[in-house]
Amino acid sequence: MQDCPLTLDRIFTHAARWHGEREIVTRTAEGLVERTTYAAAQARAKQASNALRAEGIRPGDRVATLGWNGARHLEVWYGAIGIGAVLHTLNPRLFPEQIAYIINHAEDRIILADMQCKPLLDSLLPQCPTVEKVIWLTDAGAANYEDWIAPHGHDCAWGGFEENTAAGLCYTSGTTGNPKGVLYSHRSNYLHALMTLQADALALSARDTVLLVVPMYHANAWGVVYSAPAVGAKLVLPGPKLDGASIHELIETEGVTYSAAVPTVWQMLLTHLKETNGALGKLNRVTIGGSACPESIIRTFHDDYGVDVIQGWGMTETSPLATVSVPTPELAELPFDAQVPYKLKQGRLLCNLDLKLTDDAGRRLPHDGKTFGRLKIKGATIAAAYFKNEGGDVLDEEGFFDTGDVSTIDERGYMQITDRAKDVIKSGGEWISSIDVENIAVGHPKAQLCAVIGVVHPKWDERPVLLVQLKPGVSAEKQEFVEYLDGKIAKWWMPDDVIFVDEIPLGATGKIDKKLIRQRMTDYALPFDGASR
Ligand code: ADP
């Protein structure tokens, strides 16, 4: 067979040659809708490659981006990796000191950033000595992207390096210690794209219009920056505005058939649709991941809009997608209600990967759907170490990576996250899944967001407390939530208190920030002695 290294530039070249007219639509930060095609974007990406070379960027150098989903971001992306540079996505929602740490750790030489990030970046740059230049992803003003690429031609040889060359760098938020970098190779991202394109995964095709809500700075937008061009799907890139009304407008006007995002985004969209009596046009399926998907979202999408929710699980270290909850042939024949419990699980493993559950001593645990343990994973799209070997060895003696998630795996192979190891609530020697309780509670018609955390208890070690952010303009009594949960969860899982808060804080990737909640709750004491247990 021919020796053909799996380098990612081939994906964009394929899109330009064979799906050249397919559109890439961007809504800019200013609210304008701009249109280009794969063919035009590739030509401009090559201009960006030449511009990077003219700046002295060499293979292996880190080229950083700081911005939202948009066509210019995509051009720079392929422009950098096409010439063997490493595309480092910075997350603008991180704390400024974290961003500065990450820039310095990665030794970024050049940063291409959205104008909205200017105040942030200007404040950081004095602390970032490796950064030689900043280019703004816009068409006017000093150091703007259009002027930067304009002098350069469309000819640039891409590829020609081996497939294990580094392509991308993405830092995880790091719940303890400093953020850690995950360095993807061309090969690992190429394989990930092929794995996730399967019919029993994201199942993208040239007939899809993909609204990419999940940010490009979050683990390659779940690999869709590679998988969508690989099949020539139309791409809709929404810029910074991810509120319900903005997302809804793009879904309808662009004829979106598929989208991917964290649950909080969908919660906002569904609330907006209810308020405005809106519809979802051609949308037929969404992938939800990043945190557990509440049942109410799955049912509302299905019952009210005919949209299929496919839950996916993964993490930055796993490229990210690793399991997807699609039905086996036996489950597909069951009525929708009987399928829901499986849709709530994080799903079955993609090919090329291996998964196991272990106890704390590393002994394997059974896949019986009841026993939970540490979830460990292995394969060609799984990190072997962190960038610059931060944190040392991360693999066990069988080569598995410990995800930090606590899970079950059932007889049918469906994995279900019980909790992140640090969020699980230990009550009287047994574990309560904070995820299960909050996802049932958020089904209450008055709830906008719910979070459950463990609070220290003198007798039971920890007891769960439910925090509720109500829908705008709504009021409620604690008892309404207790009654709503009654019968839906084990009696001893019943939260000892219900606290109404103005805002449940979300972290940099749109997930509920439990670390911050715990900080805010340090002075909190339980109101009564856990009588529910
Ligand atoms: P961060 O640590 O910044 O949130 P990741 O995006 O890598 O970065 O987070 C990965 C974690 O998100 C997983 O380890 C898991 O705990 C959680 N997660 C991802 N998808 C799901 C899902 N479908 N259900 C429950 N938890 C999920």
Side-chain angles (χ1 to χ4, degrees), residues 5-7 161-167 183-189 191 380:
L6 303 179
T7 58
F161 37 80
E162 65 111 14
E163 64 184 21
N164 282 311
T165 303
L183 189 66
Y184 304 111
S185 68
H186 280 261
R187 174 187 150 85
S188 73
N189 277 342
L191 290 174

Side-chain angles (χ1 to χ4, degrees), residues 173 218 290-292 311-316 346 405 420 509 511:
S173 358
H218 196 199
S291 50
Q311 178 158 197
W313 166 84
M315 58 202 308
T316 306
Q346 280 65 29
D405 285 332
R420 292 192 104 166
T509 51
K511 305 180 196 189

Side-chain angles (χ1 to χ4, degrees), residues 318-334:
T318 64
S319 292
L321 208 61
T323 70
V324 181
S325 195
V326 290
T328 58
E330 299 75 32
L331 290 175
E333 286 178 12
L334 300 178

Side-chain angles (χ1 to χ4, degrees), residues 91 94 171-175 184 218-219 222 262-263 288-293 311-318 320-321 323 344-347 375 403-406 415-423 435 439 508-511:
N91 177 347
L94 291 177
Y171 281 71
T172 64
S173 358
T175 44
Y184 304 111
H218 196 199
W222 297 351
V262 294
I288 302 190
S291 50
C293 183
Q311 178 158 197
W313 166 84
M315 58 202 308
T316 306
E317 293 88 332
T318 64
L321 208 61
T323 70
L344 285 168
K345 299 193 179 201
Q346 280 65 29
L375 184 69
T403 65
D405 285 332
V406 175
M415 185 275 287
Q416 182 162 29
I417 305 275
T418 305
D419 242 323
R420 292 192 104 166
K422 61 188 185 325
D423 291 337
I435 291 184
N439 282 343
T509 51
K511 305 180 196 189

Side-chain angles (χ1 to χ4, degrees), residues 196-214:
T196 58
L197 279 170
Q198 295 169 69
D200 276 343
L202 305 190
L204 298 185
S205 85
R207 293 164 301 287
D208 274 314
T209 294
V210 175
L211 173 63
L212 201 54
V213 180
V214 57

